Amino acid sequence: MNRFFSSTIFALAALTSLTHMSVNAQTCSKVSPAHTVALLELYTSEGCSSCPPADKFVSNLQRSTSLTTDQVVPISLHVDYWDYIGWKDVFAKPIFTQRQRALTELAGSRTVYTPEVFLAGREFRNWYSGNGVAEAVRRVNAMPAQASIQISLDKAINNKLSINLQGKTAQNARLHFALVEQNIVSQVNAGENRGVTLQHDYVVREWGDAISLSPTAKGESLVRQLPIPANANRKNLSVTAFIQSERGEILQALNLPVCASVL
């Protein structure tokens, strides 16, 4: 990591406390910390009978491990390849299936399955052990950040959320961002989970087009928009952003709850 980039990371981290004050004042913004925040990705489906325990694990992750969003950012991506067995998952998108396959290829594997968990861009099979996840997350947290992220939100207009993104990295990478919803209850009426009421958290509702980053980029703010789903509970929305290297490593992650003032 070069000295200039290190200085930039720590300067941004120093603003974190001010950023939290800004969020409280209804100016919706947040800056990533000086350490690496772990990204936990769950690939799941409402049509998969073995998925509800994984959904529940992710829902309870922070409560069961005492980890915070400054340590781990979970997201739940619903894949569409189980839709054919009788129940179409309304949260599933082909792009989530594509991402799972891409991560699997980077890992040198040919097996795609649900539920599957990736931590910091790598497959993590020991997800059912809360202690195992907590230990792995803390190992990620022990590494100085190799990238920085800032998210700021403007007033939503015409059911679209305006997102200002700033990312800096010491290597070629891509900045991903998504709209995430908490506390979703879904009644499944067919398929393997027929008759089951499912509870979902950290569900990715909208996925933005990735932004290419390079070490020479100035880190200017980039404005993007994401539609707000008509059936979303707006008070349960947040924006997650993360920077991923060309090798698949997650360099930094950040989650910002959507403030009431912008909705």
Side-chain angles (χ1 to χ4, degrees):
M1 185 184 302
N2 64 56
R3 184 178 301 173
F4 174 78
F5 184 73
S6 299
S7 300
T8 302
I9 290 289
F10 287 107
L12 286 173
L15 294 174
T16 300
S17 59
L18 295 176
T19 300
H20 287 303
M21 292 174 62
S22 295
V23 170
N24 292 333
Q26 300 305 306
T27 301
C28 217
S29 65
K30 190 175 181 180
V31 177
S32 60
H35 64 265
T36 303
V37 179
L39 179 74
L40 187 144
E41 301 174 62
L42 168 65
Y43 289 87
T44 185
S45 170
E46 290 190 337
C48 156
S49 61
S50 58
C51 286
D55 295 332
K56 184 176 181 180
F57 170 76
V58 170
S59 291
N60 295 330
L61 176 63
Q62 293 178 346
R63 183 164 55 252
S64 64
T65 61
S66 299
L67 296 169
T68 69
T69 53
D70 283 335
Q71 294 173 288
V72 59
V73 172
I75 54 174
S76 180
L77 301 103
H78 288 231
V79 297
D80 64 350
Y81 51 79
W82 291 123
D83 287 358
Y84 76 95
I85 60 175
W87 177 254
K88 181 174 174 56
D89 188 334
V90 297
F91 305 111
K93 294 181 184 293
I95 194 170
F96 302 156
T97 299
Q98 294 167 15
R99 176 166 176 81
Q100 184 187 22
R101 294 188 186 282
L103 289 176
T104 299
E105 289 176 5
L106 283 171
S109 174
R110 296 182 179 180
T111 304
V112 174
Y113 62 94
T114 55
E116 184 174 22
V117 170
F118 287 83
L119 184 67
R122 301 289 182 261
E123 185 184 21
F124 191 86
R125 291 180 178 268
N126 194 28
W127 59 265
Y128 49 84
S129 169
N131 290 336
V133 171
E135 291 172 3
V137 166
R138 291 189 177 104
R139 286 196 294 270
V140 174
N141 297 159
M143 297 185 293
Q146 300 179 63
S148 67
I149 305 170
Q150 180 171 345
I151 306 172
S152 299
L153 304 180
D154 292 331
K155 187 74 174 178
I157 300 175
N158 296 327
N159 294 317
K160 291 184 179 180
L161 188 63
S162 184
I163 307 169
N164 296 278
L165 295 162
Q166 186 173 352
K168 293 184 179 180
T169 173
Q171 58 183 286
N172 291 328
R174 304 183 83 190
L175 173 61
H176 298 267
F177 61 102
L179 186 66
V180 177
E181 186 175 1
Q182 299 283 95
N183 196 28
I184 297 174
V185 177
S186 182
Q187 180 67 48
V188 180
N189 298 318
E192 291 186 355
N193 290 317
R194 181 176 181 177
V196 177
T197 299
L198 299 177
Q199 168 81 40
H200 302 308
D201 289 287
Y202 308 105
V203 177
V204 176
R205 301 300 309 273
E206 298 293 340
W207 187 264
D209 292 333
I211 300 167
S212 295
L213 301 176
S214 69
T216 58
K218 296 180 180 179
E220 63 270 14
S221 182
L222 303 168
V223 180
R224 297 292 187 271
Q225 288 188 325
L226 286 176
I228 301 173
N231 62 348
N233 188 334
R234 294 191 174 201
K235 69 178 182 180
N236 294 332
L237 294 175
S238 64
V239 173
T240 286
F242 61 92
I243 295 177
Q244 185 171 20
S245 74
E246 294 178 338
R247 298 187 303 274
E249 180 185 6
I250 305 300
L251 305 179
Q252 189 58 295
L254 184 66
N255 176 267
L256 171 65
V258 177
C259 305
S261 61
V262 306
L263 293 173

